[in-house]
Amino acid sequence: MSTPGLPNMPMPPLPTLPSSGFKLSKEHLLVAVPVAVVAAIGGFLVSHYLNRRSCKNCMVNMTISKDSPKVVHSFDMEDIGTKAVYCRCWKSKKFPYCDGAHTKHNEETGDNVGPLIIKKKDA
């Protein structure tokens, strides 16, 4: 190859790099790609599971009175009767009353929340 205005000089030989001996065949790819995909999916699922369990700033109340700036319920002791059981996990379908939804919540999250039980003192 020559350049106009420059003398015709031969190109120096390119240096040869040492070979690592690593060659990837089609058979290797057929094994490596599915293994990599399974590993990536597994890693995603594990990280998703661990993030859900260790979420310190996650919302607890997902559905109850979301239009209100603060959810507060007040009850008079005379209206309770002998015993009242109130939800503290925010998962009850009968909120603010407990329906046992905390059991499933505790199993899924490793939490230990239970209901608030108010009863009249025996005389």
Side-chain angles (χ1 to χ4, degrees):
M1 179 182 286
S2 65
T3 308
L6 293 177
N8 196 3
M9 298 178 70
M11 295 282 292
L14 294 175
T16 58
L17 298 175
S19 174
S20 67
F22 180 76
K23 293 184 181 181
L24 198 57
S25 68
K26 191 183 289 188
E27 291 79 24
H28 288 116
L29 280 176
L30 289 174
V31 172
V33 169
V35 169
V37 169
V38 168
I41 291 171
F44 170 77
L45 292 175
V46 167
S47 69
H48 183 70
Y49 173 75
L50 293 175
N51 283 339
R52 185 182 66 179
R53 287 196 58 180
S54 66
C55 185
K56 301 289 186 213
N57 297 326
C58 293
M59 285 184 152
V60 175
N61 177 16
M62 301 305 227
T63 57
I64 309 299
S65 302
K66 293 304 284 182
D67 56 336
S68 176
K70 185 187 288 187
V71 179
V72 177
H73 293 92
S74 177
F75 301 94
D76 289 328
M77 290 298 291
E78 293 81 27
D79 298 338
I80 290 178
T82 58
K83 179 179 169 183
V85 183
Y86 296 103
C87 176
R88 293 193 305 167
C89 71
W90 293 86
K91 308 294 182 196
S92 175
K93 300 277 190 253
K94 302 186 315 179
F95 193 87
Y97 301 104
C98 178
D99 67 357
H102 59 272
T103 304
K104 181 179 177 191
H105 166 77
N106 290 345
E107 289 172 359
E108 290 176 350
T109 63
D111 205 351
N112 65 348
V113 69
L116 169 65
I117 301 173
I118 300 176
K119 56 185 174 178
K120 285 191 176 181
K121 198 184 248 187
D122 293 334

